[in-house]
Amino acid sequence: MDPITTINAAILALDAILNIINQIRGQSGLTDDQILAAAASQATTNTDQIKKLLAGLPPKSV
Amino acid sequence: MKWKSTVLALALLLATGCKDPYGVAAKLAQDVAISVNQADVTIDALRVQGTITADEERQILGYLSTLNTLDGQYIACVQVAHNSTIAGGFTKCAQVLAADMGDPSTLAALHVSNQASQAKVAAVANGIVTLVTVTITALGGK
């Protein structure tokens, strides 16, 4: 393997590791407080969405 | 796919040690919230396709609503743990979430008659349970 190919492979490996670290941290650039706030916001959105889906269902069968 | 990458990321975290338990705990809250969102859409699509009934969707949405409520309680717990000096707070929050999620009455809502749809529903539920379990391990008692 020539040096350029080796460096490219190393960069790709490093990039893969950084991607995993970013996944652990949630979204890149967000603080832990922001991640938790985003989770709370998503949970509120979920509550509204579930209510809408339930309201859109046909009546219960008997 | 998201589940695989998240579990892989947490497995790596487990191997390297947990230096940011607040971040790991917060990420679990976000992953559960996103999963509930995706599951809502998926379950509704299954009903529209005719593979599950409206009553079955109603039951599963009830479970997802419960799970969403539990996630909200977990978020509050994590905030308290973050502001506390008591050791093991984040792990205790995740353990409570896991215990409540595993309540038989909660999981009873997950049965649907269509086998293929049942497999999808079970995959979502098992994925979330696995994520919580792996996170508890990754937190290492912190």
Side-chain angles (χ1 to χ4, degrees), chain B:
Chain B
M1 191 65 188
K2 178 175 174 52
W3 288 116
K4 288 179 183 174
S5 61
T6 304
V7 170
L8 176 65
L10 286 170
L12 179 72
L13 181 67
L14 178 62
T16 57
C18 183
K19 293 180 180 176
D20 181 18
Y22 179 39
V24 171
K27 182 68 169 66
L28 173 62
Q30 189 183 38
D31 283 343
V32 172
I34 291 171
S35 298
V36 169
N37 176 262
Q38 292 175 344
D40 291 348
V41 176
T42 301
I43 295 304
D44 194 53
L46 288 175
R47 196 260 310 163
V48 171
Q49 290 166 14
T51 53
I52 66 171
T53 67
D55 284 349
E56 287 170 338
E57 178 178 352
R58 195 173 282 110
Q59 273 196 319
I60 295 168
L61 288 177
Y63 165 76
L64 292 172
S65 179
T66 300
L67 183 58
N68 197 51
T69 300
L70 293 175
D71 194 33
Q73 292 168 352
Y74 169 73
I75 290 167
C77 184
V78 168
Q79 284 173 328
V80 171
H82 178 56
N83 295 322
S84 165
T85 55
I86 298 172
F90 297 114
T91 299
K92 285 174 187 166
C93 292
Q95 285 171 337
V96 169
L97 176 63
D100 289 345
M101 280 172 58
D103 186 305
S105 63
T106 307
L107 295 173
L110 295 179
H111 179 74
V112 298
S113 55
N114 181 287
Q115 285 195 345
S117 298
Q118 177 65 44
K120 289 182 183 177
V121 171
V124 170
N126 290 336
I128 294 172
V129 170
T130 301
L131 185 61
V132 175
T133 304
V134 171
T135 299
I136 290 172
T137 307
L139 284 168
K142 291 185 179 175

Side-chain angles (χ1 to χ4, degrees), chain A:
Chain A
M1 192 181 288
D2 67 84
I4 298 297
T5 306
T6 303
I7 291 169
N8 281 339
I11 289 172
L12 285 175
L14 183 61
D15 186 53
I17 292 169
L18 288 174
N19 279 337
I20 290 172
I21 291 171
N22 281 337
Q23 284 171 9
I24 292 170
R25 288 195 56 79
Q27 296 170 24
S28 180
L30 291 184
T31 65
D32 295 342
D33 285 337
Q34 288 171 328
I35 292 170
L36 199 64
S41 175
Q42 182 65 61
T44 302
T45 301
N46 290 346
T47 301
D48 294 340
Q49 180 169 292
I50 290 170
K51 280 181 186 172
K52 282 181 188 171
L53 289 174
L54 285 170
L57 287 175
K60 276 187 179 180
S61 57
V62 285

